[in-house]
């Protein structure tokens, strides 16, 4: 894959998303190696998109079973193709999970059945309101000691951590889509608190991103 940055395009099967995913997957994997359970368990990915992340991570955790999910069933074919091509036997078929529709959450499994949930690069192109659904869904699906890992660029207490993040926010905002732009960690914390979750750890990542780890309060 070329190192040249493609034009901004948040569609999950775009060249831009593939470029970004290839760039961030190794640093995220290192966090997962420290945070995912060492015993058997179930791990859910929210907003799996193309399936590139879950298919990259899963082979490193053969004691865990991974479940991809997305609101858009049109990406399921790509997820399953990757899983088959890479012979990843610990990835289940994707399920439809709409964070704004609690009726869809049972598609993932029973309450409390997941040891971990992760979601990568969603909030810069999703409305902040999705955070309430994500936190409520995580409260529903996570076990008592389960964790929710959210990766991406964020503002911190109303401030941009770097000039490049400010520029990225401005680029997103200039697209004219109201929900595009960097959200604030504090707003995610507020949503989490409404659903019995709290921010346990905020990890600085390469390219001025963060991994936010939430758990039950």
């Amino acid at each position: 894959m070329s190192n040249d940055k493609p034009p901004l395009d948040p569609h999950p099967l775009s060249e831009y998303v593939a470029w970004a995913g290839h760039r961030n997957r190794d640093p995220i994997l290192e966090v997962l190696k420290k945070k995912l359970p060492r015993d058997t368990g179930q791990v859910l990915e929210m907003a799996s998109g193309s399936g590139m992340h879950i298919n990259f991570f899963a082979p490193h955790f053969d004691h865990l079973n991974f479940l991809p999910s997305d609101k858009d069933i049109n990406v399921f074919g790509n997820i399953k193709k990757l899983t088959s091509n890479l012979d990843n036997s610990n990835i289940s078929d994707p399920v439809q999970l709409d964070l704004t529709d609690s009726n869809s959450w049972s598609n993932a499994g029973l309450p409390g059945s997941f040891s971990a949930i992760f979601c990568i690069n969603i909030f810069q192109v999703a409305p902040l309101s999705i955070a309430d659904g994500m936190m409520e869904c995580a409260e529903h699906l996570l076990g008592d000691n389960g964790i929710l890992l959210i990766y991406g660029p964020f503002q911190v207490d109303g401030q941009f951590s770097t000039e490049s993040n400010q520029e990225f926010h401005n680029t997103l905002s200039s697209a004219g889509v109201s929900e595009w732009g960097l959200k604030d960690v504090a707003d995610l914390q507020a949503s989490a608190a409404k659903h019995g979750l709290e921010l346990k750890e905020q990890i600085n990542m390469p390219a001025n991103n963060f991994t936010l780890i939430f758990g039950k309060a």
Side-chain angles (χ1 to χ4, degrees):
M1 179 177 292
S2 171
N3 291 325
D4 295 335
K5 184 177 180 179
L8 179 65
D9 180 355
H11 188 277
L13 303 183
S14 73
E15 290 184 7
Y16 175 85
V17 170
W19 170 84
H22 190 270
R23 188 176 67 153
N24 65 35
R25 64 184 189 177
D26 287 301
I28 298 172
L29 174 62
E30 292 309 307
V31 173
L32 293 177
K33 286 179 177 179
K34 297 175 183 177
K35 301 301 178 182
L36 289 186
R38 299 185 182 278
D39 298 324
T40 58
Q42 302 284 324
V43 179
L44 170 69
E45 182 181 24
M46 294 175 170
S48 295
S50 70
M52 62 181 165
H53 281 110
I54 200 167
N55 274 286
F56 178 72
F57 299 147
H60 298 271
F61 305 95
D62 55 9
H63 61 292
L64 299 173
N65 188 70
F66 289 79
L67 177 64
S69 71
D70 206 280
K71 177 181 178 179
D72 183 4
I73 63 173
N74 292 314
V75 300
F76 287 5
N78 198 80
I79 295 172
K80 290 192 282 188
K81 180 180 178 181
L82 275 177
T83 302
S84 177
N85 289 347
L86 296 171
D87 196 24
N88 284 330
S89 60
N90 61 334
I91 298 179
S92 300
D93 284 344
V95 297
Q96 187 174 32
L97 189 67
D98 182 347
L99 297 177
T100 66
D101 179 10
S102 59
N103 291 322
S104 74
W105 301 348
S106 61
N107 294 340
L110 297 173
S113 57
F114 287 91
S115 301
I117 298 171
F118 67 93
C119 185
I120 297 171
N121 277 341
I122 186 66
F123 278 105
Q124 63 266 38
V125 291
L128 182 60
S129 59
I130 207 77
D132 283 340
M134 180 178 291
M135 297 302 175
E136 185 178 359
C137 183
E139 177 192 26
H140 177 76
L141 291 176
L142 283 175
D144 290 340
N145 297 315
I147 55 172
L148 168 65
L149 296 90
I150 302 173
Y151 170 89
F154 294 96
Q155 296 183 54
V156 180
D157 297 326
Q159 303 294 318
F160 295 98
S161 57
T162 63
E163 288 186 7
S164 61
N165 270 3
Q166 170 83 72
E167 292 170 1
F168 184 40
H169 174 80
N170 292 343
T171 299
L172 289 166
S173 299
S174 69
V177 183
S178 60
E179 60 262 30
W180 288 14
L182 271 60
K183 312 308 189 292
D184 200 298
V185 173
D187 290 326
L188 270 66
Q189 287 180 272
S191 291
K194 289 188 277 186
H195 299 289
L197 301 176
E198 63 184 9
L199 182 62
K200 302 288 189 179
E201 194 171 357
Q202 179 174 307
I203 303 171
N204 293 330
M205 302 289 287
N208 307 309
N209 291 312
F210 298 97
T211 294
L212 310 176
I213 300 180
F214 292 86
K216 293 192 174 181

